[in-house]
Amino acid sequence: DVKVTQSSRYLVKRTGEKVFLECVQDMDHENMFWYRQDPGLGLRLIYFSYDVKMKEKGDIPEGYSVSREKKERFSLILESASTNQTSMYLCASSLDRRTGSTFGSGTRLTVV
Amino acid sequence: AQSVTQPDIHITVSEGASLELRCNYSYGATPYLFWYVQSPGQGLQLLLKYFSGDTLVQGIKGFEAEFKRSQSSFNLRKPSVHWSDAAEYFCAVVRGGGNKLTFGTGTQLKVEL
């Protein structure tokens, strides 16, 4: 089974801090994704990457950046955390468009 | 742009009753469609998928879904619901020629014992 591991389940950070969310997958998938999930809004794509050092903006990239230095690892960076970034963050990876994505367990981030 | 609509925000069913969760999509070509389930505090788990072939697809946990092109629908069904099926269910479609998913806003399922 593909495993997608997110380093933290719960995180509390202060406004203005730089925050790193880490995600690692173990099945050599090319594609990796970061979503945020908010009640009533479903999952919204922040960024995705289709190869090492390659990235594309999703639907809501403002206030975020990403890093993919190795194939198995995809990091989400909040440059200066704000309270409106309090949310559940989900990482996913996929082989191709037919297989669907495998998700991590999520990181619930609270910015105070 | 591709979009996915799940018209029911909450659904309550009794244990043992049948279930149907609705999903409508807007997309020109034959879409790649998925249903995911999310238990409280967890990530999403893939239930089933459709991209071609037989329009009735079987998934895990006894779920099935039927693709109906004429209605732009991909509804999820289960003949007899178990209390452990209480969760949030998301329908999703792959956008364009890439791998990005567009999700519906989800349907929260409550199961009464």
Side-chain angles (χ1 to χ4, degrees), chain B:
Chain B
Q2 297 89 343
S3 69
V4 178
T5 304
Q6 293 180 249
D8 303 305
I9 299 173
H10 299 280
I11 282 187
T12 300
V13 299
S14 299
E15 190 175 37
S18 64
L19 171 70
E20 182 167 27
L21 302 182
R22 296 184 290 166
C23 173
N24 293 98
Y25 65 91
S26 68
Y27 187 60
T30 298
Y32 289 59
L33 292 158
F34 305 84
W35 274 100
Y36 288 85
V37 61
Q38 185 180 35
S39 298
Q42 300 297 314
L44 277 69
Q45 182 183 20
L46 180 65
L47 282 176
L48 46 78
K49 59 191 176 188
Y50 171 81
F51 55 88
S52 67
D54 193 346
T55 56
L56 183 64
V57 293
Q58 302 297 320
I60 61 172
K61 302 178 188 254
F63 286 92
E64 66 179 26
E66 186 170 13
F67 171 65
K68 292 185 177 180
R69 183 188 301 277
S70 61
Q71 297 177 20
S72 297
S73 69
F74 188 57
N75 294 349
L76 183 71
R77 302 194 296 244
K78 187 170 185 178
S80 177
V81 169
H82 188 262
W83 64 266
S84 60
D85 293 324
E88 190 157 22
Y89 292 80
F90 292 93
C91 183
V93 62
V94 170
R95 314 179 201 180
N99 295 283
K100 294 181 285 187
L101 287 167
T102 296
F103 284 87
T105 51
T107 297
Q108 187 73 46
L109 173 66
K110 181 180 175 183
V111 180
E112 290 183 332
L113 299 176

